[in-house]
Amino acid sequence: MRFSKSFIPTLRETPSEAVVTSHILMLRSGMIRMVAAGIYSFLPTGYRVIRKISEIIREEMNAIGGQEFHLPALNPKEIWEETGRVEAFGDILFHVKNREYVLAPTHEEIMTFHARNVLKSYKDFPQIWYQIQTKFRNEPRPRSGVIRGRQFLMKDAYSFDISPEGLDKSYELHDQAYRKIFDRCGLKYFVVGASSGAMGGSGSEEFMVKSDAGEDTVAHCDNCGYAANVEVAESKVPSRGREEKNEELKEIHTPNIRSINELCEFLKIKETQCAKSRIYVHLGKPVLIFMLGNEEVNESKLVKYLGGAVRPAHPEELVELTGAEAGSIGPVGFNGRIIADLRLKDANNLYGGANKTDYHYGGIDFTRDAKNIEYADLRRVVSEEGCIKCNSPLQVFTAIELGHIFKLGTKYSEAMGAMFLDEKGEEHPIIMGSYGIGADRVMACFIEQHHDEKGIIWDTALAPFHVHLMGLNLKNEEVAKACEEIYKSLTDNSFDVLFDDRNDAQAGVKFNDADLLGMPLQIIVGDRKLKTNQVEVKIRKTGERFDVELDKLMPKLKEIWRDTVLK
RNA sequence: CGGGGCGUAGCGUAGCCCGGUUCAUCGCGCCUGCUUUGGGAGCAGGAAGUCGCAGGUUCGAAUCCUGCCGCCCCGACCA
């Protein structure tokens, strides 16, 4: 491909709407352009990458027996009403105004529609059906470029089985295929066990990539691979325990002390001597929560423990319930359910609120001064705490979800009447799984992980071109001639080449565009080196440069390709 | 949907507070010509803007007021 004839609108400056790295680089390298919030066009270079990703996905899906479909994005609303998901999706689902159609945000319904009445016999199973297609979701707030859009490219696959064991097998196949796909794409990823949420069903795993642009916060162990969303993640932290000498309960005047920090300051004590109180309302009833020191309540864990929604109590309710304002609430004399974090189990000699504004108690003993305290893990994991499995330090960071695999079960087959007959002629609902990969997210995540201050650094697997050939001064006939010969020879040797043949661009412009676009190999042809019959080869990833004699270029290139670039 | 910011030529911006002969600025990019060609060139000339949209105030609005639209960020949300 000749640069002069290509549509590769690179940008020297960063458009003001872009903030995250992948978004900036995709815009600057001329791979995408925004059409509206969360809606992007892929330009030719960007689309080349999308096609490479799609092809990798396709190969690995086919390898596990997947069959590729192409389903309509425009769906009759009727089918979505069969499963109650018009309501479940709510405002996320795009509705067409002048007909009873919706724009599909996923395709469980349509796939089940095709399976029902056709996959009738146990002999028809298992099946794996997939497609790579545009999905539509009316995200309240699109962001981070292509990472969270209203329209995006997703590979979605669905498995159909007749037994839980069959589903396990299909799920396992996808798990393996996904690992191969992300490995081949050159992504550093990890796997998180996740709740399946509104998709329904039981088991599920998320394939995540660490990134500052991420929307999920996870705890991850480099040593053993333990990973969990921070909302459910556990860690090994020492419990506070009991001190040997058990002190008496004593009331202390603490004027205007509202926070643990102020209390520690005022009494010259450590955080670990304090129990922080929070009151939540669960099913209309107050629940008093205790955390050690200044640790925050992890509301997700609380919700899970209590079962059902909770909300923090309003300031007026606090006074009503305890007689004290926020900052002076405590366990002694509290009339209601009390739950303390595990770290506080049976602790004594604690400082906490006295349920009287401007007063705290010292010497609180959870076994003596409060009745029926329940203990639960209510903490939010923090970096460097011990992994729950192997005790190595955990890291907490944000990550992007790239892929998600679910064991759906029979939710959709039952709702839509997709049944099969077993050996005995008995009818059962088909057992399904559902498996997604965000194709454009793969692209963005790769860039998040592979770039420097100059631009993108592609691996060969996803690079739009293998080689970026630059002629520095093409008005020089020797240079032009050498470039043309190299261009032909590379193409004849099956390299995808982007040939910067622009006559009007300065050398610096070409160098910077080449680094920005990020092809794995650059070949630089200039008259100076050409005088000694040499050209320069640069490896984008390492920045290494070699001077190579023209007639040895092809073998040398193949050697570099094999030994360095592909590595 | 709450909070904040922004909208001036393809991109990045000045002017806005204090309305008017600086009133549409500057850099990059673009077009023409010549020169230049190893890290975003030089000279000369040129094209390009409904100042987001609609009302209003005023003799006069990019500037003040009202409404709307769009984009970004934080939060809520995220099958």
Side-chain angles (χ1 to χ4, degrees):
Chain A
M1 185 76 72
R2 286 168 194 270
F3 204 119
S4 65
K5 295 187 172 56
S6 307
F7 185 61
I8 308 178
T10 57
L11 260 23
R12 190 203 293 216
E13 291 176 275
T14 300
S16 53
E17 77 252 21
V19 176
V20 310
T21 307
S22 57
H23 189 196
I24 291 170
L25 289 176
M26 285 162 87
L27 285 170
R28 289 229 293 130
S29 61
M31 295 199 294
I32 59 165
R33 282 291 120 99
M34 185 176 80
V35 176
I39 303 176
Y40 289 85
S41 293
F42 281 86
L43 276 32
T45 324
Y47 194 56
R48 276 180 168 259
V49 178
I50 290 290
R51 286 210 311 269
K52 296 219 169 180
I53 293 167
S54 303
E55 199 47 40
I56 289 171
I57 292 174
R58 197 168 274 128
E59 285 172 19
E60 296 301 335
M61 288 306 298
N62 292 345
I64 61 168
Q67 303 163 76
E68 187 171 9
F69 280 58
H70 186 74
L71 305 176
L74 200 55
N75 292 182
K77 195 197 273 183
E78 211 178 0
I79 293 186
W80 285 78
E81 273 160 356
E82 288 188 42
T83 54
R85 287 172 104 201
V86 172
E87 190 161 283
F89 268 107
D91 197 45
I92 295 291
L93 186 66
F94 275 113
H95 292 253
V96 172
K97 270 187 182 164
N98 54 356
R99 243 180 231 285
E100 289 294 294
Y101 291 161
V102 297
L103 288 173
T106 173
H107 278 87
E108 280 79 9
E109 277 79 0
I110 302 301
M111 282 295 195
T112 310
F113 168 85
H114 290 298
R116 99 174 141 194
N117 302 328
V118 183
L119 299 181
K120 291 302 292 180
S121 159
Y122 68 94
K123 296 171 196 159
D124 297 332
F125 295 85
Q127 293 281 332
I128 293 173
W129 296 355
Y130 78 96
Q131 64 166 344
I132 299 172
Q133 203 227 30
T134 303
K135 302 286 189 254
F136 299 88
R137 291 181 197 181
N138 186 23
E139 292 294 345
R141 185 182 152 203
R143 73 187 92 178
S144 307
V146 121
I147 290 172
R148 186 162 212 85
R150 295 213 165 106
Q151 171 176 343
F152 55 96
L153 227 212
M154 179 162 139
K155 186 284 308 183
D156 47 322
Y158 306 86
S159 65
F160 302 89
D161 283 282
I162 56 171
S163 66
E165 295 72 30
L167 172 60
D168 289 346
K169 179 85 198 303
S170 296
Y171 182 89
E172 184 59 28
L173 284 172
H174 280 87
D175 183 282
Q176 294 308 318
Y178 274 36
R179 289 169 197 269
K180 284 184 186 156
I181 289 166
F182 297 132
D183 283 343
R184 284 181 62 184
C185 287
L187 288 165
K188 193 172 163 226
Y189 65 95
F190 57 94
V191 182
V192 175
S195 63
S196 40
M199 290 299 294
S202 49
S204 85
E205 279 177 338
E206 288 177 342
F207 290 76
M208 314 281 294
V209 157
K210 179 179 178 179
S211 164
D212 290 340
E215 304 181 307
D216 297 299
T217 306
V218 296
H220 178 248
C221 175
D222 286 336
N223 185 49
C224 74
Y226 169 77
N229 194 300
V230 82
E231 290 180 356
V232 297
E234 297 172 40
S235 63
K236 275 188 191 163
V237 278
S239 95
R240 157 75 201 302
R242 291 185 71 80
E243 290 174 357
E244 203 166 310
K245 179 167 169 276
N246 204 20
E247 291 169 14
E248 293 292 305
L249 194 63
K250 58 184 185 242
E251 193 178 273
I252 307 165
H253 184 52
T254 52
N256 293 319
I257 302 297
R258 292 285 175 272
S259 69
I260 293 293
N261 286 344
E262 288 166 0
L263 187 67
C264 291
E265 176 91 5
F266 185 74
L267 296 176
K268 307 284 181 245
I269 54 176
K270 288 188 230 154
E271 268 186 37
T272 50
Q273 292 173 268
C274 304
K276 177 159 86 176
S277 318
R278 280 286 134 90
I279 294 188
Y280 282 85
V281 178
H282 172 243
L283 304 176
K285 287 184 186 155
V287 183
L288 180 57
I289 308 297
F290 280 102
M291 304 301 295
L292 178 63
N294 220 354
E295 292 185 342
E296 289 300 328
V297 179
N298 181 334
E299 291 187 13
S300 301
K301 286 186 178 177
L302 184 62
V303 166
K304 199 174 163 197
Y305 179 77
L306 289 171
V310 299
R311 64 165 174 87
H314 306 307
E316 318 83 69
E317 290 175 314
L318 297 181
V319 179
E320 203 175 302
L321 288 163
T322 66
E325 289 172 28
S328 299
I329 289 163
V332 183
F334 179 79
N335 189 16
R337 195 166 171 188
I338 302 178
I339 306 169
D341 181 66
L342 279 175
R343 290 191 84 182
L344 283 168
K345 182 133 177 73
D346 298 333
N348 64 349
N349 300 345
L350 290 165
Y351 291 85
N355 289 330
K356 186 164 136 191
T357 299
D358 287 341
Y359 285 90
H360 281 77
Y361 278 127
I364 299 171
D365 180 348
F366 271 17
T367 62
R368 178 190 66 198
D369 303 323
K371 292 187 186 73
N372 303 323
I373 297 188
E374 301 167 48
Y375 293 95
D377 173 21
L378 297 176
R379 297 181 60 255
R380 207 182 142 97
V381 170
V382 177
S383 276
E384 304 303 330
E385 289 174 3
C387 171
I388 193 75
K389 285 191 175 158
C390 74
N391 212 29
S392 303
L394 286 172
Q395 297 305 316
V396 174
F397 49 75
T398 55
I400 298 170
E401 178 189 342
L402 270 186
H404 207 156
I405 58 178
F406 297 92
K407 293 181 183 176
L408 282 180
T410 57
K411 175 177 164 156
Y412 295 92
S413 49
E414 278 183 55
M416 296 182 65
M419 316 294 273
F420 70 95
L421 296 173
D422 67 14
E423 293 96 321
K424 297 175 201 138
E426 285 170 10
E427 195 172 59
H428 304 282
I430 298 171
I431 300 175
M432 293 173 58
S434 147
Y435 317 88
I437 293 177
D440 28 26
R441 276 191 180 180
V442 169
M443 179 169 167
C445 287
F446 182 88
I447 296 170
E448 290 285 329
Q449 290 187 348
H450 302 271
H451 68 270
D452 62 16
E453 62 288 346
K454 301 289 264 179
I456 303 170
I457 304 173
W458 290 113
D459 276 351
T460 56
L462 302 190
F465 298 92
H466 299 136
V467 178
H468 194 131
L469 170 65
M470 276 168 274
L472 293 189
N473 179 7
L474 290 152
K475 285 179 186 160
N476 179 315
E477 281 179 24
E478 300 299 313
V479 173
K481 183 164 159 280
C483 282
E484 291 296 340
E485 281 168 9
I486 294 168
Y487 183 44
K488 180 168 190 311
S489 147
L490 284 167
T491 308
D492 290 347
N493 281 276
S494 311
F495 283 100
D496 277 339
V497 187
L498 179 61
F499 173 22
D500 193 340
D501 62 337
R502 289 176 294 178
N503 245 328
D504 51 353
Q506 291 278 122
V509 173
K510 293 182 181 179
F511 287 136
N512 282 307
D513 272 349
D515 288 342
L516 175 62
L517 288 164
M519 304 322 155
L521 277 183
Q522 297 176 10
I523 299 176
I524 300 149
V525 183
D527 53 0
R528 287 213 309 240
K529 284 184 178 162
L530 211 51
K531 278 177 188 150
T532 54
N533 225 28
Q534 289 185 317
V535 295
E536 184 173 314
V537 176
K538 175 177 159 184
I539 300 173
R540 176 67 178 94
K541 186 159 50 178
T542 61
E544 288 171 274
R545 295 156 184 274
F546 308 88
D547 289 338
V548 182
E549 301 217 359
L550 258 185
D551 51 5
K552 294 189 184 126
L553 180 59
M554 210 47 59
K556 180 68 181 171
L557 223 50
K558 286 179 178 169
E559 183 194 317
I560 295 173
W561 191 257
R562 191 182 59 239
D563 297 344
T564 311
V565 180
L566 282 182
K567 189 187 74 69

